[in-house]
Amino acid sequence: MDNTHSHPEKLAVEPAVGCGPNVDGEFSQHDYTHPAAAWGAAKSVGLTLIQQGEILNGVKAIFRMNHENGGYDCPGCAWPDDRKGLRMDICENGIKHATWEMTRKRVDREFFATHTVSQLMEWSDFALEDVGRLTEPLSYDSASDKYIPISWDDAFQTAGRHLRALSSPHQASFYTSGRLGNEATFLYQWFAREFGTNNLPDCSNMCHEASGRALNASIGTGKGTVDLVDWQKADAIFVMGVNAASNAPRMLTALADGVKERGLKIVHVNPLIEAAATRVITPHEILDMALFRATPTSSLNLQPRIGGDMALMRGIAKYLIEEADTNPKALDRLFIERFTSGFEAYRAVCQATPWDELVRQSGLTLEAIRAAAKIYSESRSCIISWCLGLSQQENGVDTIREIMNVLLLRGNIGREGAGPCPIRGHSNVQGNRTCGVDHRPTEEWLSRLEAACKIRAPREPGLDTVRTIAAMAKGEVKVFLGMGGNFAMAVPDRNLTFEALRRCDLTMHVSTKLNRSHLVHGREALILPCIGRTEIDHQQSGPQGITVEDSMSMVHLSYGMNEPGSPELRSEPAIIAGIAQAALPHTKTPWQDYVADYDRIRDTMADALIGFEDFNRRVRQPLGFRLHQPARELIFQTTTGKATFSSAPLADAIPPAGKLILSTMRSHDQWNTTIYSDNDRYRGVKNLRTLIFLNAKDMEERNLEPFALINITSFAKDGTTRTLEGYRAVRYNIPRGNAAGYMPELNALCPLGDFSPQSDQPLMKQLLVEIVACRSPRAGRHAKA
Ligand SMILES: Nc1nc2c(c(=O)[nH]1)N[C@H]1C(S)=C(S)[C@@H](COP(=O)(O)OP(=O)(O)OC[C@H]3O[C@@H](n4cnc5c(=O)[nH]c(N)nc54)[C@H](O)[C@@H]3O)O[C@H]1N2
Ligand SMILES: Nc1nc2c(c(=O)[nH]1)N[C@H]1C(S)=C(S)[C@@H](COP(=O)(O)OP(=O)(O)OC[C@H]3O[C@@H](n4cnc5c(=O)[nH]c(N)nc54)[C@H](O)[C@@H]3O)O[C@H]1N2
Ligand SMILES: [Mo]
């Protein structure tokens, strides 16, 4: 498709506050024709290092990242480390992410003395973070509308005073973003529960909640069962609903190696053909880089409609079941009989679903579905991996269970090279759940915690992310603590969320950099600056390591290597301990002992957590250790003791006439709410974020020229609408009836009440919208907060 357009037109009005740098001038979109990773990535790394003044440290960091014995865990994503030791297991976006933290820029008290919060609200999100690392604790002064320095002691006392004043512990909510190490996570949930609440919303509520629930129901574990060795052994891999070249770039290595070394078959399932689905040059292959020798990384590209994945999976199952009439090897009958339940009902459902319905709902041709099924049925061992493209859907749980159904039909679990593999987001989001951040804790968890920590834990289910916002809006939650992350921007329904946060008595954030969540604050507010993953964590007993768990259940130590960005910074465990002591005057927990030596936290974790026995010793083994995963050994801790087929009705993914389904996603140059530039290299976009990718026919139907200004209105289930104005329509290879654009700008369109009843996840990839030409352009205007 010809997407080569550029549009130098300048807008008559001021560009509105957006998330990216908001650079003026020309913007464009054209087809990206180079292989993924390769020199474009190398160049971009160089530019980032220069921008952050970090050439030397950056280069040093590259060589220390993800290395066994002493390196720090890359904060970029949760992809496991390649421990072959021979390669640089790094990627462009990981380096960008680490150097963003290691910047030399600092934001000090002078800055806050000269800028009011109202003024800062006018800044872009890029500009806010770009002022550099936070250097000391700050408290909001309403008289001057400014943040002013506060001592750590006074900050903790402020937190404690508010928390103690609540009439119920459930009036506080404790958010976590998946950056937190296991030790801090464990202390954090301990503190919340000793305080008396399970209000522990986290970024998982918007990320992989659906995967956890589906996997639990199906195979009795919330996690995937495969590891990197399996990725090196599989003979077919399905890559579904992930933009790997941008968001899990180290996956490209596994894909390219598989193709080169053993003819791996790769099926990409994505409404967009993303860069990983074309050809790649992985940066550690220096020779390939030099010779521009690219490896094709796709056997089949399927472009289902948004939400059409379940129909595709059911189609594959139907094919296998039909094949089984003539080919006894199509299904693994022995496995089904010994290890599963619910097969007969599932077979009946597949047989009863007509092919044309599967074709209609998936948006794929019959031939395409059959081609995928053929690759699947001919593979000896197959991995199916997925990310947000599946989990952020209305029927995310059913869809992921359908993936499990397909895997179970051929016994693709519990053996080498086979199994389910959710691609996690934040580098320790999986560890956060393992270590107790869960608003719906099990009785087993709570009673083990009580025994190990000698506390009473509450039994009332807590609030998740969406419900925390609703409760703040109603005045039911009065104190909000954000442990990392950028809550105000990451969550749905921007206007409502801003109002909700502003109703709080106290909002506080533990952060490395200034972000919008600090500016959208309660009556009182605290910014509590912490050291980052790349920095040395000095405590009484010496420098501390923290542990993290990657996407594939490996737990290992991470040591920072730079001196803290400012002497005033504290570690996350130290900040949690400070707040806990101030909030719990009668606590018997020796908080400061734990901070002095993280081995003590790990010793208590070893008592509280199944699988963490002898934690301190095992985690010091060269590669750390892998958490025991019963489902991998075909032990299924489900209610039936077997892996369970689901027979859910097919999801309806077809938008009503005139409307479109909009998916919100990341550009190549952003890390969640952190925007590095307004470019999206692999999608060929330069200097434009306020865009919507549309099918050419959908544009024609609406009389939209390329780059036409448009308004987008979303329709909530409760009948309310939300509108963003002055976006640009960009012609793109995307199925008809579908549209895509960037988070977090588009979060203004996500209705708070529209979450999946199966996962409670906001429908961030499945918004019902109408797109019309914008008559009175107010460029990229964001719904006013
Ligand atoms: N560089 C970088 N790395 C990151 C992040 C980052 O922001 N930047 N974020 C981290 C986090 S927290 C997470 S959770 C992950 C996110 O990683 P991704 O899941 O890759 O995140 P998104 O950019 O939201 O992309 C979603 C993908 O799903 C596709 N998609 C949308 N709807 C559908 C659908 O209905 N079906 C299918 N099959 N596909 C669909 C989109 O086209 C897109 O390719 O990445 C992590 N890694
Ligand atoms: N529309 C839409 N919305 C989405 C998504 C989507 O696909 N579409 N994706 C969702 C997903 S998957 C996720 S995970 C969430 C992400 O939600 P969050 O995790 O809340 O957001 P981030 O942007 O990752 O947080 C960035 C901030 O973290 C802080 N930070 C960075 N490093 C550290 C550290 O080491 N310690 C501490 N304490 N703070 C640190 C910095 O201050 C930075 O500003 O967004 C969700 N929102
Ligand atoms: Mo995520």
Side-chain angles (χ1 to χ4, degrees):
M1 197 202 293
D2 175 24
N3 280 328
T4 315
H5 295 274
S6 86
H7 207 86
E9 160 196 331
K10 267 226 172 176
L11 290 154
V13 284
E14 278 285 287
V17 177
C19 296
N22 277 323
V23 198
D24 273 347
E26 226 171 89
F27 50 85
S28 62
Q29 192 275 335
H30 55 84
D31 286 343
Y32 185 80
T33 48
H34 312 289
W39 287 108
K43 182 172 152 211
S44 162
V45 167
L47 283 175
T48 313
L49 294 177
I50 291 165
Q51 268 168 16
Q52 298 301 320
E54 265 313 302
I55 285 291
L56 213 73
N57 273 345
V59 171
K60 233 166 70 193
I62 294 167
F63 288 98
R64 287 293 291 276
M65 199 147 58
N66 295 335
H67 275 210
E68 73 185 69
N69 295 333
Y72 64 91
D73 181 66
C74 176
C77 75
W79 188 259
D81 308 337
D82 187 317
R83 303 308 181 107
K84 283 185 184 169
L86 292 172
R87 348 157 157 259
M88 289 203 304
D89 191 23
I90 49 159
C91 80
E92 171 199 359
N93 279 349
I95 294 168
K96 273 196 271 185
H97 203 49
T99 41
W100 193 247
E101 175 177 302
M102 294 191 301
T103 179
R104 285 182 203 282
K105 299 181 192 173
R106 296 288 177 271
V107 48
D108 55 14
R109 51 177 75 186
E110 266 78 311
F111 174 87
F112 288 104
T114 46
H115 295 83
T116 65
V117 167
S118 314
Q119 284 166 346
L120 292 173
M121 268 309 275
E122 300 297 314
W123 289 31
S124 73
D125 296 81
F126 170 85
L128 293 175
E129 289 208 25
D130 198 42
V131 293
R133 290 286 300 278
L134 295 160
T135 48
E136 61 183 332
L138 299 159
S139 126
Y140 179 67
D141 172 50
S142 55
S144 61
D145 186 33
K146 286 175 182 165
Y147 271 102
I148 53 172
I150 183 175
S151 72
W152 277 107
D153 266 357
D154 289 347
F156 293 147
Q157 286 317 317
T158 303
R161 175 166 50 82
H162 277 275
L163 286 165
R164 289 195 312 269
L166 297 175
S167 54
S168 148
H170 306 304
Q171 290 177 334
S173 192
F174 301 96
Y175 175 73
T176 340
S177 150
R179 282 290 287 268
L180 216 56
N182 289 329
E183 293 73 15
T185 302
F186 186 74
L187 287 188
Y188 191 55
Q189 59 85 37
W190 176 345
F191 158 55
R193 293 187 167 121
E194 188 174 335
F195 182 68
T197 186
N198 287 311
N199 288 350
L200 285 160
D202 71 343
C203 67
S204 279
N205 299 149
M206 302 176 274
C207 190
H208 268 294
E209 192 81 50
S211 306
R213 294 197 190 174
L215 288 166
N216 258 315
S218 174
I219 55 171
T221 167
K223 303 174 185 179
T225 63
V226 306
D227 62 17
L228 215 49
V229 175
D230 293 315
W231 275 75
Q232 288 152 4
K233 300 280 171 169
D235 39 35
I237 295 180
F238 280 60
V239 179
M240 303 182 71
V242 59
N243 175 16
S246 299
N247 297 330
R250 287 181 291 146
M251 185 203 285
L252 300 184
T253 312
L255 297 181
D257 287 355
V259 171
K260 271 191 285 195
E261 289 164 11
R262 59 180 200 282
L264 168 69
K265 292 271 196 311
I266 305 170
V267 179
H268 292 270
V269 181
N270 199 314
L272 310 182
I273 295 182
E274 302 284 30
T278 53
R279 60 210 166 90
V280 308
I281 302 178
T282 50
H284 64 254
E285 298 290 355
I286 305 293
L287 200 63
D288 285 358
M289 286 276 277
L291 300 174
F292 279 98
R293 207 160 50 195
T295 311
T297 41
S298 179
S299 316
L300 185 64
N301 270 334
L302 298 181
Q303 284 181 276
R305 68 168 88 246
I306 293 171
D309 306 82
M310 184 174 178
L312 165 65
M313 282 294 125
R314 187 152 292 178
I316 294 177
K318 189 175 172 72
Y319 172 97
L320 295 176
I321 288 166
E322 288 181 358
E323 275 285 296
D325 289 342
T326 51
N327 172 7
K329 289 206 176 129
L331 300 175
D332 187 339
R333 289 191 186 278
L334 219 66
F335 178 90
I336 294 171
E337 231 160 77
R338 276 188 61 191
F339 295 109
T340 74
S341 68
F343 170 67
E344 286 310 325
Y346 182 57
R347 172 159 59 186
V349 161
C350 289
Q351 284 168 334
T353 317
W355 275 113
D356 25 330
E357 184 59 7
L358 295 171
V359 165
R360 204 170 73 87
Q361 285 296 345
S362 65
L364 298 166
T365 62
L366 181 60
E367 294 67 43
I369 302 177
R370 292 177 71 90
K374 203 158 174 302
I375 292 179
Y376 180 66
S377 70
E378 286 170 0
S379 69
R380 223 172 2 92
S381 54
C382 177
I383 289 173
I384 303 186
S385 66
W386 69 90
C387 198
L388 300 181
L390 273 67
S391 64
Q392 292 179 334
Q393 305 287 353
E394 172 104 48
N395 293 79
V397 175
D398 285 347
T399 302
I400 296 163
R401 291 204 65 183
E402 202 72 21
I403 289 180
M404 287 312 307
N405 290 343
V406 167
L407 288 172
L408 295 177
L409 285 176
R410 289 182 49 77
N412 266 313
I413 185 168
R415 53 188 174 78
E416 203 171 61
C421 184
I423 309 296
R424 300 282 166 178
H426 269 293
S427 52
N428 196 36
V429 64
Q430 188 159 312
N432 290 173
R433 266 294 151 92
T434 305
C435 299
V437 167
D438 192 344
H439 63 285
R440 310 190 311 167
T442 59
E443 178 54 40
E444 190 198 6
W445 173 267
L446 294 176
S447 43
R448 286 185 72 103
L449 191 70
E450 288 181 330
C453 304
K454 304 182 183 60
I455 57 165
R456 290 279 311 136
R459 294 306 192 263
E460 299 88 340
L463 300 171
D464 62 5
T465 296
V466 162
R467 288 179 181 87
T468 291
I469 300 166
M472 289 191 294
K474 282 191 268 175
E476 291 166 8
V477 161
K478 297 171 190 294
V479 175
F480 175 88
L481 171 54
M483 185 53 66
N486 187 359
F487 188 86
M489 294 305 286
V491 302
D493 227 337
R494 180 135 316 136
N495 292 354
L496 182 72
T497 294
F498 280 19
E499 273 172 41
L501 285 163
R502 287 177 175 140
R503 275 204 74 176
C504 288
D505 291 341
L506 174 69
T507 50
M508 42 186 169
H509 296 273
V510 177
S511 317
T512 50
K513 288 209 169 175
L514 183 64
N515 66 40
R516 185 127 355 239
S517 296
H518 306 134
L519 309 178
V520 183
H521 56 79
R523 266 187 292 284
E524 289 190 56
L526 295 171
I527 300 176
L528 306 171
C530 65
I531 59 167
R533 187 80 63 79
T534 56
E535 290 164 342
I536 305 170
D537 188 347
H538 295 285
Q539 302 296 346
Q540 217 178 66
S541 66
Q544 306 294 310
I546 59 148
T547 64
V548 294
E549 175 185 341
D550 68 29
S551 223
M552 303 184 194
S553 305
M554 282 296 300
V555 180
H556 53 90
L557 273 165
S558 166
Y559 287 96
M561 56 173 211
N562 296 332
E563 281 305 320
S566 139
E568 278 294 307
L569 301 183
R570 294 212 179 163
S571 76
E572 283 149 338
I575 297 171
I576 294 163
I579 298 174
Q581 279 180 306
L584 302 164
H586 306 297
T587 183
K588 298 214 164 52
T589 305
W591 295 101
Q592 295 309 329
D593 292 351
Y594 283 123
V595 176
D597 184 353
Y598 296 179
D599 275 2
R600 297 184 189 139
I601 311 178
R602 283 188 284 270
D603 280 340
T604 307
M605 292 171 79
D607 291 340
L609 275 71
I610 297 173
F612 283 72
E613 299 77 19
D614 206 7
F615 190 11
N616 270 311
R617 187 190 58 79
R618 282 160 71 215
V619 83
R620 285 186 167 83
Q621 297 166 153
L623 304 176
F625 64 96
R626 185 153 206 272
L627 284 174
H628 176 64
Q629 175 58 281
R632 201 180 156 83
E633 285 145 39
L634 302 177
I635 298 164
F636 299 111
Q637 295 169 337
T638 58
T639 42
T640 56
K642 298 199 162 182
T644 314
F645 282 96
S646 79
S647 304
L650 202 59
D652 187 1
I654 299 171
K659 301 238 171 40
L660 299 158
I661 302 291
L662 171 72
S663 181
T664 65
M665 58 190 187
R666 289 143 181 80
S667 77
H668 182 66
D669 231 10
Q670 85 183 73
W671 217 95
N672 294 345
T673 66
T674 302
I675 315 300
Y676 304 116
S677 84
D678 287 359
N679 303 332
D680 191 358
R681 174 155 23 97
Y682 298 140
R683 296 188 187 112
V685 177
K686 283 210 177 114
N687 215 6
L688 184 65
R689 280 185 62 86
T690 48
L691 63 72
I692 301 289
F693 294 118
L694 286 166
N695 182 288
K697 293 226 169 64
D698 285 326
M699 283 181 55
E700 263 166 46
E701 217 172 58
R702 289 165 178 76
N703 289 319
L704 298 173
E705 293 294 316
F707 297 104
L709 285 163
I710 51 173
N711 295 342
I712 318 140
T713 300
S714 69
F715 296 84
K717 289 174 188 167
D718 66 5
T720 56
T721 60
R722 286 152 187 77
T723 299
L724 284 177
E725 298 175 355
Y727 270 58
R728 301 223 173 234
V730 169
R731 208 159 72 181
Y732 205 77
N733 180 0
I734 181 171
R736 277 208 80 175
N738 287 173
Y742 300 124
M743 63 84 75
E745 287 89 336
L746 292 174
N747 291 33
L749 295 176
C750 299
L752 188 70
D754 286 12
F755 51 85
S756 158
Q758 309 181 343
S759 65
D760 296 324
Q761 276 192 236
L763 305 183
M764 292 164 158
K765 296 274 184 284
Q766 207 168 28
L767 298 170
L768 183 63
V769 300
E770 199 170 72
I771 287 179
V772 297
C774 171
R775 305 268 166 241
S776 55
R778 282 173 291 174
R781 206 182 75 94
H782 292 259
K784 216 171 154 41

